């Protein structure tokens, strides 16, 4: 892992504010490690500038607090919400992942406000693309 850390993917302002424990399970650490090595680090290398992780791992309590769906891949450490702070930049990330990297789900969230990307724990990746508006 070159650019991203497990700690970074577990960081949550909401968890801090509400005093929610967001310590990952061993399985979630394994999944985040895979996500970093296979998707996030290569993406960061290609982009050449910092990428912010808004949300990575979410404990059940944190997922509930942020209104995440029950089947969210954030619960298993398989997903990350990323942004570079501009829609143009986020569109670049989206297109780069789509064309160059494996992914289970790739979501353009609200016209590239951020990008959600996940990698299946067993690498049975669906390659599903979603645009939310
Ligand atoms: Zn997400």
């Amino acid at each position: 892992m070159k650019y991203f850390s497990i700690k970074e993917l577990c960081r949550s302002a909401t968890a801090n504010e509400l005093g929610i424990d967001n310590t990952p399970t061993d399985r979630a650490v394994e999944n985040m490690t895979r996500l970093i090595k296979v998707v996030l680090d290569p993406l960061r290398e290609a982009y050449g500038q910092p990428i912010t992780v808004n949300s990575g791992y979410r404990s059940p309590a944190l997922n509930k607090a942020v209104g995440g769906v029950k089947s969210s891949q954030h619960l298993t450490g398989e997903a990350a919400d990323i942004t570079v702070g501009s829609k143009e930049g986020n569109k670049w990330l989206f297109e780069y992942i789509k064309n160059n990297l494996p992914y289970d789900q790739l979501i353009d969230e609200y016209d590239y406000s951020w990008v959600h990307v996940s990698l299946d724990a067993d690498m049975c990746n669906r390659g599903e693309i979603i645009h939310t508006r």
Side-chain angles (χ1 to χ4, degrees):
M1 292 187 282
K2 189 172 172 187
Y3 295 104
F4 296 90
S5 67
I6 298 300
K7 196 179 166 190
E8 190 176 358
L9 267 71
C10 295
R11 198 175 292 148
S12 164
T14 305
N16 289 343
E17 274 167 33
L18 302 178
I20 293 169
D21 181 10
N22 200 42
T23 307
T25 59
D26 290 348
R27 188 81 204 281
V29 171
E30 271 177 42
N31 292 340
M32 282 185 276
T33 302
R34 185 182 309 103
L35 182 64
I36 290 171
K37 282 184 182 169
V38 177
V39 178
L40 299 181
D41 269 353
L43 178 67
R44 169 66 180 78
E45 185 82 46
Y47 187 63
Q49 290 174 61
I51 296 171
T52 302
V53 177
N54 282 343
S55 182
Y57 173 72
R58 294 178 197 154
S59 64
L62 176 59
N63 193 55
K64 201 174 174 188
V66 299
V69 294
K70 277 180 184 166
S71 60
S72 171
Q73 287 179 301
H74 287 283
L75 283 162
T76 50
E78 293 170 288
D81 294 339
I82 55 176
T83 181
V84 294
S86 72
K87 291 191 174 189
E88 295 73 23
N90 291 342
K91 189 166 195 289
W92 192 98
L93 300 181
F94 181 93
E95 292 295 332
Y96 187 85
I97 295 168
K98 188 175 117 183
N99 297 322
N100 300 282
L101 299 170
Y103 57 88
D104 185 46
Q105 263 192 337
L106 180 62
I107 308 179
D108 148 29
E109 301 274 16
Y110 306 100
D111 193 22
Y112 301 101
S113 294
W114 72 91
V115 174
H116 168 109
V117 61
S118 71
L119 200 60
D120 182 73
D122 302 313
M123 287 300 272
C124 295
N125 295 305
R126 293 170 286 177
E128 184 178 22
I129 287 195
I130 297 170
H131 296 271
T132 67
R133 287 291 180 270

